[in-house]
Structures are given as C-alpha cells and as structure tokens.
Amino acid sequence: MLETKTAPAPQESTAAGQPAGTRGTTIAVALCIVTILLAVLDSNIVSSATVPIVRDLDPVHGVDRIPWLIAAYQLAATAALPLYGKLCDSLGAKKIFIGALATFLTGSALCGMAQSMGELIAARAFQGIGGGGLMSVTMVVLRQLGATDEAKQGETKESDDKGKPKGGDKKGNIGGIIAGAGMALGPWLGGALADHAGWRWIFYVNLPVGIAVLTAAILVVKLPAHTTRHRIDFLGAGLAAAFSTALLLVTEWGGEDYAWTSPTIIGLSLAAVAALGLFLRRQATAAEPILPLSLFSLRTMRYGFAIQGLVGVAMMGSIVYVMIYLQVVRGIAATSAGLFLVPMAIGMTVVGLLSGSLAAAGWSQKTFVVSGTVFASAALALLTTLDTDTGLWTLRGAMLLMGIGFGQLIGQLIQLVQDTAPPSQLGVATTGVRFFQTLGTALGASLFGAVLSRVYAANGPGGSTSDIAGLTGSARRQALDAFVSSADVVFACATGVMVLALILATRLPGTRTKA
C-alpha cells in the first residue's frame, strides 16, 4: 500500500507565503474555474456534434452507438472517481489535480485523431479517466483555498455544532455557477465547432487552454500540507470500477446487442452484483476504505448522494435528447440547436448569482434542493408534450425552467456534502457525491438510449433511428412521429426520476450541516 508523510498540520500551514487576496490566490481560483469549465464542457460537448461525427465515422450504425459514445466518458470517469478522492486525501489535491488534467489532455488529443467510432469511444473512455478527476478534485482545491484564506486572515465565522462555517464556500458557489453555464453552453460550443471548424476541434480546443492551465497550476497553486498517513485501497478502487463497468455494460447491451436472458447479460449482471458485494465487504473491513461506509450513517450524506445520482440521470435525458430532437425532427443545424440551451444557461447563471442573497435571506440548502427539483420536474414534464411541430418557444421555456431548477442544484449538493463530511474525509466525500452523479449520468445515457430504440422499433416504419435521414414521403413522416413519441417517453421517464429526487429532497435535514 502507498503511504505518505508530511508535516505540519493543515491549520498551521500556509498556501503560498502570501497574504489572502493576493494575485497568487486570485490566479489559483481562476485556474480552478477554467478547469471546471473544461470538465463540464467536455462531458456534454459531444451531444450536439453527434450528427457530424456519425456522418463522418459511421453513417450506417452510428446513431445507435451515440449512447455508448457518451456513456464511455462517463463510465471511465465514474470508475476512477473513488480512487481520486482517496488520492487527494493521501497525496494532496494539487498533485492529483495536475495528474488528472494531464490525462484529460492526452485523451483529448487521441479523440481528435480517431478514425472510427470504435477508436473515438476508446479515446473518450481514456479522456474520461482524467475528466473524472477534474470537477471533483477541483472542488476540493477550491475548498482548501477557501480554508487557507480563512486561516491566514484569522477570520472568525459563525459555525454550527461541528465547528464548520455555515453558508458554504463562496468559491464553491462560483464553481457551481461556471459549471451550470458550461453544462448548458457545451452543446452549443460543440455544434459551432462541428459546423465551422470540424468536429475534431471539439477535442483539440482543449489542448492550448489545458496546457496553459497545467503550467500555471504547477507554478501558482499552493495548498495546505498534510500530516496524516494514509493507505490507498487499490483493491476497493478496482472493485468499484468492476461494478461500474459491469452495470453499465448491462444497461448498454441489454435488449439491444444481447437479449436480456442471454448468457452475456446474465453473466454481467451476476458480475455486477458480486463486485458490489465484494466492494461493500471491502469498505467495511479495509483500514482506510476509498468510500467509507460510515459516511452513509449521516442522513445528509445518504440523501445527498442519492439525489445527486438521480439528478445525473435526469440531466442526461434533458440535454442530449433535446439536441437530438432538434436535429433529427426539426432539421436544425448543430450550432443553431445548441442555441436552444442558452435559456438554460441563463436560468442557471441567474440562480447561481442570486444564491448568496437567498442564503442570506434564510434559504437553507434543503430549500434550494427542494425548489430545484420542483422546477426541474416541471420542465421535464413540459418536454413530454413535444411533437413534430411544437412551437419552439415552448421548448425554450422548458429549458429556462430547467436552468432555474438545475441552477439551484449544481454546487449546492456538493457543498452540502462537504459541509457534513469530516475534514479528514473531504476528498472521498466530494468524489463520492460526484461518483453517484456520474454513475447516474452514464446510466441515464444507456437506459434512455435503450428506451428510445425500443419504443421507436415498436412504432416506426422499420429499421433503426439511423435510417430516418434517408427516408422520404409518408415513411419519413411515420418515422418522425415515432421518434417524437419515443423521445416523449424518455422525457416522461426523466420526469419520474426528478419526482423521486424531490421526494428525497423533502427528507433532507433543514440545517446546512446537521446529519
């Protein structure tokens, strides 16, 4: 096992030998914000560029492989997340931040050079290994930068019974706003690059920005030192990755490539159950587990993890399939389709900017989460009414509601978990909540893709959704009607998921940090 020794104590260390608020601290925060933007953009930038990618690499079967293209990134990110958390707590967040960013940039270059859908999917998986650490590790870095500022300024903040400051971290709020805007604008940027520069540039564009961030991070970012010795549970990380992989393969292949009763699916299902059982046993017995089961004894953590996972599922159903609907059914170019997410970005950004004032007015994190799930549920319910000639302003209105809803959820759930977690487990708690979100996103991509394909196969004129572009006359009309009906079923499923998240949100404790 890997062990590290460092001193002095975190509360006695300095960040860079500079007073808080100096240029070094400001640059470090700016680097984190750019990194969050890169991570969020790349997690969904492919969604509006799928049509050009399929046309170039696999015009026959490419549409049916879109869910797997998206899921590959999320699957790899999900499998790596638990290990990232423990590595942060063991080696320090800065080293892991740099390693994750370097891996992400290498994957970006490989994606841009892909010559087939298979190569692109594999490269996206490699990119996802790095991308899985960017958002979560960066949130740990932001949190530690905030703690360093407080220590150096000698500020005394109002605390709860555990001694944690109430109200969350302002830097975390900024990160949430950037994440929300990037999540909505990613598909638009992807469409613009695909239409005007070629789809490969949705990956190549990461390189100059990422290399600049990487260089500056090595020179500028300074974080508190660690005194504790940690063992890294590589066996637990491997079991978590095995469980995630087997589960995602079941959802991707079941009913499509293989029958649900086939030996392959049954074998993968049994493997997933076995890996989960072994993982839980390992976490209960390991000296330093990568996802301590003690975290689940805290009510806030239990519900926070569950809600974040459900939000990940529902977001996949909203963003990806809105983009596909606009391009396949309405014939809107990728760039123009991405503009329909601008209302979502506006809603997220406005809510993010108002969150500080709302918190000062007495809004607890529970209030934000409940309100956010209500708005998101309403938006998804409105999307279930789409047909082949629905007014596009109805769609824009639904996306604005979506932004208002998700804007109250992005960042708030992570801060809620960070406020609840013991300081020594900040890394595993942060990556834990991200683990559930990315697992939910990957599951959403696979499950909703399977739903769309099955409903279309039952109602369409024959063939798969990949054949729609080549149809004419009544056959095309029938295919479009069937596709819209299938998309409506997807949105209905996403609505049900968000309603379940709302029910769980009402059970959160009313205070910010009480478990």
PDB file of all heavy atoms in Angstrom, residues 149-187:
ATOM      1  N   ASP A 149      -7.423  30.747   3.042  1.00  0.00           N
ATOM      2  CA  ASP A 149      -7.706  32.172   3.188  1.00  0.00           C
ATOM      3  C   ASP A 149      -8.181  32.492   4.600  1.00  0.00           C
ATOM      4  O   ASP A 149      -7.750  33.463   5.220  1.00  0.00           O
ATOM      5  CB  ASP A 149      -8.775  32.605   2.183  1.00  0.00           C
ATOM      6  CG  ASP A 149      -8.209  32.750   0.776  1.00  0.00           C
ATOM      7  OD1 ASP A 149      -6.971  32.727   0.643  1.00  0.00           O
ATOM      8  OD2 ASP A 149      -9.012  32.880  -0.167  1.00  0.00           O
ATOM      9  N   GLU A 150      -9.095  31.645   5.116  1.00  0.00           N
ATOM     10  CA  GLU A 150      -9.640  31.892   6.449  1.00  0.00           C
ATOM     11  C   GLU A 150      -8.544  31.812   7.500  1.00  0.00           C
ATOM     12  O   GLU A 150      -8.492  32.611   8.437  1.00  0.00           O
ATOM     13  CB  GLU A 150     -10.740  30.871   6.748  1.00  0.00           C
ATOM     14  CG  GLU A 150     -11.982  31.067   5.895  1.00  0.00           C
ATOM     15  CD  GLU A 150     -12.932  29.883   6.024  1.00  0.00           C
ATOM     16  OE1 GLU A 150     -12.736  29.058   6.941  1.00  0.00           O
ATOM     17  OE2 GLU A 150     -13.868  29.803   5.211  1.00  0.00           O
ATOM     18  N   ALA A 151      -7.651  30.824   7.350  1.00  0.00           N
ATOM     19  CA  ALA A 151      -6.583  30.665   8.330  1.00  0.00           C
ATOM     20  C   ALA A 151      -5.627  31.856   8.307  1.00  0.00           C
ATOM     21  O   ALA A 151      -5.188  32.341   9.349  1.00  0.00           O
ATOM     22  CB  ALA A 151      -5.819  29.376   8.063  1.00  0.00           C
ATOM     23  N   LYS A 152      -5.298  32.339   7.128  1.00  0.00           N
ATOM     24  CA  LYS A 152      -4.333  33.435   7.013  1.00  0.00           C
ATOM     25  C   LYS A 152      -4.934  34.771   7.419  1.00  0.00           C
ATOM     26  O   LYS A 152      -4.245  35.653   7.896  1.00  0.00           O
ATOM     27  CB  LYS A 152      -3.794  33.504   5.581  1.00  0.00           C
ATOM     28  CG  LYS A 152      -2.896  32.326   5.242  1.00  0.00           C
ATOM     29  CD  LYS A 152      -2.112  32.560   3.989  1.00  0.00           C
ATOM     30  CE  LYS A 152      -3.001  32.632   2.779  1.00  0.00           C
ATOM     31  NZ  LYS A 152      -2.225  32.819   1.555  1.00  0.00           N
ATOM     32  N   GLN A 153      -6.210  34.929   7.219  1.00  0.00           N
ATOM     33  CA  GLN A 153      -6.859  36.180   7.580  1.00  0.00           C
ATOM     34  C   GLN A 153      -7.236  36.195   9.048  1.00  0.00           C
ATOM     35  O   GLN A 153      -7.504  37.247   9.609  1.00  0.00           O
ATOM     36  CB  GLN A 153      -8.112  36.394   6.732  1.00  0.00           C
ATOM     37  CG  GLN A 153      -7.806  36.696   5.270  1.00  0.00           C
ATOM     38  CD  GLN A 153      -9.071  36.771   4.442  1.00  0.00           C
ATOM     39  OE1 GLN A 153     -10.155  36.441   4.911  1.00  0.00           O
ATOM     40  NE2 GLN A 153      -8.933  37.218   3.218  1.00  0.00           N
ATOM     41  N   GLY A 154      -7.251  35.017   9.680  1.00  0.00           N
ATOM     42  CA  GLY A 154      -7.653  34.949  11.076  1.00  0.00           C
ATOM     43  C   GLY A 154      -9.108  35.296  11.280  1.00  0.00           C
ATOM     44  O   GLY A 154      -9.495  35.808  12.337  1.00  0.00           O
ATOM     45  N   GLU A 155      -9.934  35.006  10.268  1.00  0.00           N
ATOM     46  CA  GLU A 155     -11.342  35.353  10.364  1.00  0.00           C
ATOM     47  C   GLU A 155     -12.062  34.387  11.284  1.00  0.00           C
ATOM     48  O   GLU A 155     -11.733  33.208  11.362  1.00  0.00           O
ATOM     49  CB  GLU A 155     -11.991  35.299   8.982  1.00  0.00           C
ATOM     50  CG  GLU A 155     -11.469  36.370   8.049  1.00  0.00           C
ATOM     51  CD  GLU A 155     -12.105  36.264   6.682  1.00  0.00           C
ATOM     52  OE1 GLU A 155     -12.758  35.243   6.415  1.00  0.00           O
ATOM     53  OE2 GLU A 155     -11.934  37.199   5.901  1.00  0.00           O
ATOM     54  N   THR A 156     -13.051  34.884  11.979  1.00  0.00           N
ATOM     55  CA  THR A 156     -13.914  34.057  12.805  1.00  0.00           C
ATOM     56  C   THR A 156     -15.285  34.044  12.178  1.00  0.00           C
ATOM     57  O   THR A 156     -15.915  35.084  12.031  1.00  0.00           O
ATOM     58  CB  THR A 156     -14.028  34.623  14.226  1.00  0.00           C
ATOM     59  OG1 THR A 156     -12.733  34.679  14.783  1.00  0.00           O
ATOM     60  CG2 THR A 156     -14.916  33.721  15.082  1.00  0.00           C
ATOM     61  N   LYS A 157     -15.730  32.852  11.774  1.00  0.00           N
ATOM     62  CA  LYS A 157     -17.002  32.733  11.090  1.00  0.00           C
ATOM     63  C   LYS A 157     -17.980  31.983  11.961  1.00  0.00           C
ATOM     64  O   LYS A 157     -17.618  31.137  12.771  1.00  0.00           O
ATOM     65  CB  LYS A 157     -16.833  32.015   9.752  1.00  0.00           C
ATOM     66  CG  LYS A 157     -15.988  32.794   8.777  1.00  0.00           C
ATOM     67  CD  LYS A 157     -16.043  32.161   7.404  1.00  0.00           C
ATOM     68  CE  LYS A 157     -15.269  32.999   6.406  1.00  0.00           C
ATOM     69  NZ  LYS A 157     -15.345  32.448   5.049  1.00  0.00           N
ATOM     70  N   GLU A 158     -19.242  32.305  11.780  1.00  0.00           N
ATOM     71  CA  GLU A 158     -20.295  31.610  12.509  1.00  0.00           C
ATOM     72  C   GLU A 158     -20.269  30.137  12.140  1.00  0.00           C
ATOM     73  O   GLU A 158     -20.204  29.775  10.971  1.00  0.00           O
ATOM     74  CB  GLU A 158     -21.662  32.195  12.125  1.00  0.00           C
ATOM     75  CG  GLU A 158     -22.802  31.511  12.858  1.00  0.00           C
ATOM     76  CD  GLU A 158     -24.137  32.022  12.387  1.00  0.00           C
ATOM     77  OE1 GLU A 158     -24.159  32.830  11.447  1.00  0.00           O
ATOM     78  OE2 GLU A 158     -25.158  31.609  12.955  1.00  0.00           O
ATOM     79  N   SER A 159     -20.286  29.260  13.145  1.00  0.00           N
ATOM     80  CA  SER A 159     -20.170  27.833  12.908  1.00  0.00           C
ATOM     81  C   SER A 159     -21.315  27.093  13.545  1.00  0.00           C
ATOM     82  O   SER A 159     -21.993  27.602  14.431  1.00  0.00           O
ATOM     83  CB  SER A 159     -18.848  27.306  13.475  1.00  0.00           C
ATOM     84  OG  SER A 159     -17.749  27.945  12.868  1.00  0.00           O
ATOM     85  N   ASP A 160     -21.512  25.861  13.066  1.00  0.00           N
ATOM     86  CA  ASP A 160     -22.535  25.023  13.665  1.00  0.00           C
ATOM     87  C   ASP A 160     -21.913  24.217  14.795  1.00  0.00           C
ATOM     88  O   ASP A 160     -20.796  24.454  15.215  1.00  0.00           O
ATOM     89  CB  ASP A 160     -23.141  24.103  12.597  1.00  0.00           C
ATOM     90  CG  ASP A 160     -22.167  23.071  12.093  1.00  0.00           C
ATOM     91  OD1 ASP A 160     -20.967  23.154  12.455  1.00  0.00           O
ATOM     92  OD2 ASP A 160     -22.615  22.190  11.323  1.00  0.00           O
ATOM     93  N   ASP A 161     -22.617  23.206  15.289  1.00  0.00           N
ATOM     94  CA  ASP A 161     -22.146  22.438  16.420  1.00  0.00           C
ATOM     95  C   ASP A 161     -20.925  21.597  16.093  1.00  0.00           C
ATOM     96  O   ASP A 161     -20.263  21.090  16.987  1.00  0.00           O
ATOM     97  CB  ASP A 161     -23.263  21.534  16.957  1.00  0.00           C
ATOM     98  CG  ASP A 161     -23.781  20.561  15.918  1.00  0.00           C
ATOM     99  OD1 ASP A 161     -23.654  20.865  14.728  1.00  0.00           O
ATOM    100  OD2 ASP A 161     -24.309  19.501  16.314  1.00  0.00           O
ATOM    101  N   LYS A 162     -20.567  21.445  14.815  1.00  0.00           N
ATOM    102  CA  LYS A 162     -19.366  20.702  14.432  1.00  0.00           C
ATOM    103  C   LYS A 162     -18.197  21.634  14.158  1.00  0.00           C
ATOM    104  O   LYS A 162     -17.121  21.194  13.789  1.00  0.00           O
ATOM    105  CB  LYS A 162     -19.630  19.846  13.187  1.00  0.00           C
ATOM    106  CG  LYS A 162     -20.631  18.745  13.435  1.00  0.00           C
ATOM    107  CD  LYS A 162     -20.726  17.884  12.196  1.00  0.00           C
ATOM    108  CE  LYS A 162     -21.717  16.751  12.426  1.00  0.00           C
ATOM    109  NZ  LYS A 162     -21.849  15.898  11.257  1.00  0.00           N
ATOM    110  N   GLY A 163     -18.426  22.930  14.264  1.00  0.00           N
ATOM    111  CA  GLY A 163     -17.348  23.865  14.039  1.00  0.00           C
ATOM    112  C   GLY A 163     -17.123  24.216  12.610  1.00  0.00           C
ATOM    113  O   GLY A 163     -16.124  24.807  12.254  1.00  0.00           O
ATOM    114  N   LYS A 164     -18.041  23.889  11.709  1.00  0.00           N
ATOM    115  CA  LYS A 164     -17.902  24.226  10.298  1.00  0.00           C
ATOM    116  C   LYS A 164     -18.651  25.517  10.016  1.00  0.00           C
ATOM    117  O   LYS A 164     -19.729  25.745  10.528  1.00  0.00           O
ATOM    118  CB  LYS A 164     -18.454  23.108   9.394  1.00  0.00           C
ATOM    119  CG  LYS A 164     -17.720  21.806   9.537  1.00  0.00           C
ATOM    120  CD  LYS A 164     -18.250  20.837   8.513  1.00  0.00           C
ATOM    121  CE  LYS A 164     -17.619  19.474   8.640  1.00  0.00           C
ATOM    122  NZ  LYS A 164     -18.126  18.687   9.719  1.00  0.00           N
ATOM    123  N   PRO A 165     -18.148  26.374   9.157  1.00  0.00           N
ATOM    124  CA  PRO A 165     -18.842  27.596   8.835  1.00  0.00           C
ATOM    125  C   PRO A 165     -20.127  27.318   8.093  1.00  0.00           C
ATOM    126  O   PRO A 165     -20.182  26.438   7.262  1.00  0.00           O
ATOM    127  CB  PRO A 165     -17.836  28.364   7.936  1.00  0.00           C
ATOM    128  CG  PRO A 165     -16.946  27.309   7.393  1.00  0.00           C
ATOM    129  CD  PRO A 165     -16.889  26.232   8.405  1.00  0.00           C
ATOM    130  N   LYS A 166     -21.139  28.065   8.407  1.00  0.00           N
ATOM    131  CA  LYS A 166     -22.413  27.910   7.724  1.00  0.00           C
ATOM    132  C   LYS A 166     -22.419  28.748   6.456  1.00  0.00           C
ATOM    133  O   LYS A 166     -21.776  29.768   6.358  1.00  0.00           O
ATOM    134  CB  LYS A 166     -23.564  28.331   8.645  1.00  0.00           C
ATOM    135  CG  LYS A 166     -23.676  27.473   9.876  1.00  0.00           C
ATOM    136  CD  LYS A 166     -24.760  27.960  10.800  1.00  0.00           C
ATOM    137  CE  LYS A 166     -26.127  27.670  10.270  1.00  0.00           C
ATOM    138  NZ  LYS A 166     -27.197  27.994  11.200  1.00  0.00           N
ATOM    139  N   GLY A 167     -23.217  28.317   5.521  1.00  0.00           N
ATOM    140  CA  GLY A 167     -23.419  29.103   4.323  1.00  0.00           C
ATOM    141  C   GLY A 167     -22.606  28.694   3.145  1.00  0.00           C
ATOM    142  O   GLY A 167     -22.768  29.212   2.071  1.00  0.00           O
ATOM    143  N   GLY A 168     -21.695  27.735   3.341  1.00  0.00           N
ATOM    144  CA  GLY A 168     -20.943  27.243   2.186  1.00  0.00           C
ATOM    145  C   GLY A 168     -19.778  28.130   1.832  1.00  0.00           C
ATOM    146  O   GLY A 168     -19.493  29.139   2.456  1.00  0.00           O
ATOM    147  N   ASP A 169     -19.068  27.775   0.816  1.00  0.00           N
ATOM    148  CA  ASP A 169     -17.861  28.441   0.362  1.00  0.00           C
ATOM    149  C   ASP A 169     -18.187  29.284  -0.855  1.00  0.00           C
ATOM    150  O   ASP A 169     -18.745  28.807  -1.825  1.00  0.00           O
ATOM    151  CB  ASP A 169     -16.816  27.377   0.006  1.00  0.00           C
ATOM    152  CG  ASP A 169     -15.444  27.962  -0.237  1.00  0.00           C
ATOM    153  OD1 ASP A 169     -15.374  29.100  -0.717  1.00  0.00           O
ATOM    154  OD2 ASP A 169     -14.459  27.256   0.040  1.00  0.00           O
ATOM    155  N   LYS A 170     -17.811  30.564  -0.808  1.00  0.00           N
ATOM    156  CA  LYS A 170     -18.110  31.435  -1.948  1.00  0.00           C
ATOM    157  C   LYS A 170     -17.421  30.939  -3.208  1.00  0.00           C
ATOM    158  O   LYS A 170     -17.965  31.054  -4.301  1.00  0.00           O
ATOM    159  CB  LYS A 170     -17.674  32.867  -1.629  1.00  0.00           C
ATOM    160  CG  LYS A 170     -18.543  33.541  -0.564  1.00  0.00           C
ATOM    161  CD  LYS A 170     -18.097  34.955  -0.319  1.00  0.00           C
ATOM    162  CE  LYS A 170     -18.978  35.645   0.727  1.00  0.00           C
ATOM    163  NZ  LYS A 170     -18.557  37.035   0.995  1.00  0.00           N
ATOM    164  N   LYS A 171     -16.188  30.415  -3.053  1.00  0.00           N
ATOM    165  CA  LYS A 171     -15.503  29.893  -4.232  1.00  0.00           C
ATOM    166  C   LYS A 171     -16.247  28.703  -4.801  1.00  0.00           C
ATOM    167  O   LYS A 171     -16.298  28.493  -6.006  1.00  0.00           O
ATOM    168  CB  LYS A 171     -14.067  29.513  -3.858  1.00  0.00           C
ATOM    169  CG  LYS A 171     -13.203  30.706  -3.457  1.00  0.00           C
ATOM    170  CD  LYS A 171     -11.808  30.263  -3.107  1.00  0.00           C
ATOM    171  CE  LYS A 171     -10.925  31.446  -2.732  1.00  0.00           C
ATOM    172  NZ  LYS A 171     -11.344  32.106  -1.501  1.00  0.00           N
ATOM    173  N   GLY A 172     -16.828  27.880  -3.912  1.00  0.00           N
ATOM    174  CA  GLY A 172     -17.643  26.758  -4.382  1.00  0.00           C
ATOM    175  C   GLY A 172     -18.870  27.238  -5.129  1.00  0.00           C
ATOM    176  O   GLY A 172     -19.290  26.632  -6.119  1.00  0.00           O
ATOM    177  N   ASN A 173     -19.472  28.353  -4.655  1.00  0.00           N
ATOM    178  CA  ASN A 173     -20.630  28.909  -5.363  1.00  0.00           C
ATOM    179  C   ASN A 173     -20.232  29.365  -6.761  1.00  0.00           C
ATOM    180  O   ASN A 173     -20.966  29.157  -7.726  1.00  0.00           O
ATOM    181  CB  ASN A 173     -21.208  30.093  -4.576  1.00  0.00           C
ATOM    182  CG  ASN A 173     -21.939  29.652  -3.324  1.00  0.00           C
ATOM    183  OD1 ASN A 173     -22.453  28.539  -3.256  1.00  0.00           O
ATOM    184  ND2 ASN A 173     -21.966  30.504  -2.318  1.00  0.00           N
ATOM    185  N   ILE A 174     -19.062  30.013  -6.872  1.00  0.00           N
ATOM    186  CA  ILE A 174     -18.581  30.437  -8.188  1.00  0.00           C
ATOM    187  C   ILE A 174     -18.395  29.231  -9.088  1.00  0.00           C
ATOM    188  O   ILE A 174     -18.777  29.227 -10.257  1.00  0.00           O
ATOM    189  CB  ILE A 174     -17.263  31.226  -8.048  1.00  0.00           C
ATOM    190  CG1 ILE A 174     -17.509  32.548  -7.314  1.00  0.00           C
ATOM    191  CG2 ILE A 174     -16.659  31.500  -9.419  1.00  0.00           C
ATOM    192  CD1 ILE A 174     -16.251  33.301  -6.973  1.00  0.00           C
ATOM    193  N   GLY A 175     -17.799  28.169  -8.538  1.00  0.00           N
ATOM    194  CA  GLY A 175     -17.616  26.956  -9.316  1.00  0.00           C
ATOM    195  C   GLY A 175     -18.929  26.393  -9.803  1.00  0.00           C
ATOM    196  O   GLY A 175     -19.044  25.915 -10.935  1.00  0.00           O
ATOM    197  N   GLY A 176     -19.951  26.437  -8.944  1.00  0.00           N
ATOM    198  CA  GLY A 176     -21.261  25.945  -9.346  1.00  0.00           C
ATOM    199  C   GLY A 176     -21.863  26.756 -10.480  1.00  0.00           C
ATOM    200  O   GLY A 176     -22.483  26.212 -11.400  1.00  0.00           O
ATOM    201  N   ILE A 177     -21.695  28.074 -10.432  1.00  0.00           N
ATOM    202  CA  ILE A 177     -22.214  28.929 -11.499  1.00  0.00           C
ATOM    203  C   ILE A 177     -21.526  28.601 -12.826  1.00  0.00           C
ATOM    204  O   ILE A 177     -22.172  28.449 -13.870  1.00  0.00           O
ATOM    205  CB  ILE A 177     -22.003  30.419 -11.137  1.00  0.00           C
ATOM    206  CG1 ILE A 177     -22.861  30.797  -9.917  1.00  0.00           C
ATOM    207  CG2 ILE A 177     -22.364  31.310 -12.325  1.00  0.00           C
ATOM    208  CD1 ILE A 177     -22.532  32.166  -9.363  1.00  0.00           C
ATOM    209  N   ILE A 178     -20.192  28.491 -12.788  1.00  0.00           N
ATOM    210  CA  ILE A 178     -19.447  28.179 -14.006  1.00  0.00           C
ATOM    211  C   ILE A 178     -19.848  26.808 -14.539  1.00  0.00           C
ATOM    212  O   ILE A 178     -20.007  26.601 -15.750  1.00  0.00           O
ATOM    213  CB  ILE A 178     -17.934  28.230 -13.730  1.00  0.00           C
ATOM    214  CG1 ILE A 178     -17.515  29.642 -13.296  1.00  0.00           C
ATOM    215  CG2 ILE A 178     -17.157  27.809 -14.964  1.00  0.00           C
ATOM    216  CD1 ILE A 178     -17.793  30.719 -14.327  1.00  0.00           C
ATOM    217  N   ALA A 179     -20.009  25.852 -13.630  1.00  0.00           N
ATOM    218  CA  ALA A 179     -20.413  24.510 -14.054  1.00  0.00           C
ATOM    219  C   ALA A 179     -21.776  24.541 -14.724  1.00  0.00           C
ATOM    220  O   ALA A 179     -22.007  23.889 -15.750  1.00  0.00           O
ATOM    221  CB  ALA A 179     -20.443  23.562 -12.853  1.00  0.00           C
ATOM    222  N   GLY A 180     -22.697  25.309 -14.161  1.00  0.00           N
ATOM    223  CA  GLY A 180     -24.028  25.397 -14.750  1.00  0.00           C
ATOM    224  C   GLY A 180     -24.010  26.015 -16.134  1.00  0.00           C
ATOM    225  O   GLY A 180     -24.642  25.503 -17.069  1.00  0.00           O
ATOM    226  N   ALA A 181     -23.267  27.115 -16.270  1.00  0.00           N
ATOM    227  CA  ALA A 181     -23.186  27.760 -17.580  1.00  0.00           C
ATOM    228  C   ALA A 181     -22.506  26.847 -18.598  1.00  0.00           C
ATOM    229  O   ALA A 181     -22.949  26.717 -19.739  1.00  0.00           O
ATOM    230  CB  ALA A 181     -22.431  29.083 -17.459  1.00  0.00           C
ATOM    231  N   GLY A 182     -21.422  26.189 -18.179  1.00  0.00           N
ATOM    232  CA  GLY A 182     -20.717  25.294 -19.084  1.00  0.00           C
ATOM    233  C   GLY A 182     -21.562  24.111 -19.508  1.00  0.00           C
ATOM    234  O   GLY A 182     -21.502  23.656 -20.652  1.00  0.00           O
ATOM    235  N   MET A 183     -22.370  23.601 -18.588  1.00  0.00           N
ATOM    236  CA  MET A 183     -23.221  22.459 -18.891  1.00  0.00           C
ATOM    237  C   MET A 183     -24.220  22.793 -19.996  1.00  0.00           C
ATOM    238  O   MET A 183     -24.521  21.959 -20.853  1.00  0.00           O
ATOM    239  CB  MET A 183     -23.955  22.039 -17.622  1.00  0.00           C
ATOM    240  CG  MET A 183     -24.702  20.735 -17.700  1.00  0.00           C
ATOM    241  SD  MET A 183     -25.433  20.370 -16.103  1.00  0.00           S
ATOM    242  CE  MET A 183     -23.994  20.427 -15.047  1.00  0.00           C
ATOM    243  N   ALA A 184     -24.740  23.990 -19.962  1.00  0.00           N
ATOM    244  CA  ALA A 184     -25.720  24.379 -20.966  1.00  0.00           C
ATOM    245  C   ALA A 184     -25.068  24.835 -22.265  1.00  0.00           C
ATOM    246  O   ALA A 184     -25.611  24.618 -23.347  1.00  0.00           O
ATOM    247  CB  ALA A 184     -26.607  25.496 -20.413  1.00  0.00           C
ATOM    248  N   LEU A 185     -23.907  25.495 -22.156  1.00  0.00           N
ATOM    249  CA  LEU A 185     -23.270  26.043 -23.349  1.00  0.00           C
ATOM    250  C   LEU A 185     -22.393  25.031 -24.069  1.00  0.00           C
ATOM    251  O   LEU A 185     -22.016  25.252 -25.220  1.00  0.00           O
ATOM    252  CB  LEU A 185     -22.427  27.273 -22.966  1.00  0.00           C
ATOM    253  CG  LEU A 185     -23.229  28.482 -22.468  1.00  0.00           C
ATOM    254  CD1 LEU A 185     -22.290  29.600 -22.044  1.00  0.00           C
ATOM    255  CD2 LEU A 185     -24.190  28.973 -23.535  1.00  0.00           C
ATOM    256  N   GLY A 186     -22.061  23.919 -23.406  1.00  0.00           N
ATOM    257  CA  GLY A 186     -21.218  22.907 -24.035  1.00  0.00           C
ATOM    258  C   GLY A 186     -21.761  22.413 -25.360  1.00  0.00           C
ATOM    259  O   GLY A 186     -21.033  22.387 -26.370  1.00  0.00           O
ATOM    260  N   PRO A 187     -23.034  21.990 -25.420  1.00  0.00           N
ATOM    261  CA  PRO A 187     -23.574  21.543 -26.701  1.00  0.00           C
ATOM    262  C   PRO A 187     -23.542  22.625 -27.780  1.00  0.00           C
ATOM    263  O   PRO A 187     -23.320  22.329 -28.956  1.00  0.00           O
ATOM    264  CB  PRO A 187     -25.005  21.140 -26.342  1.00  0.00           C
ATOM    265  CG  PRO A 187     -24.930  20.762 -24.898  1.00  0.00           C
ATOM    266  CD  PRO A 187     -23.964  21.730 -24.304  1.00  0.00           C
TER     267      PRO A 187
END
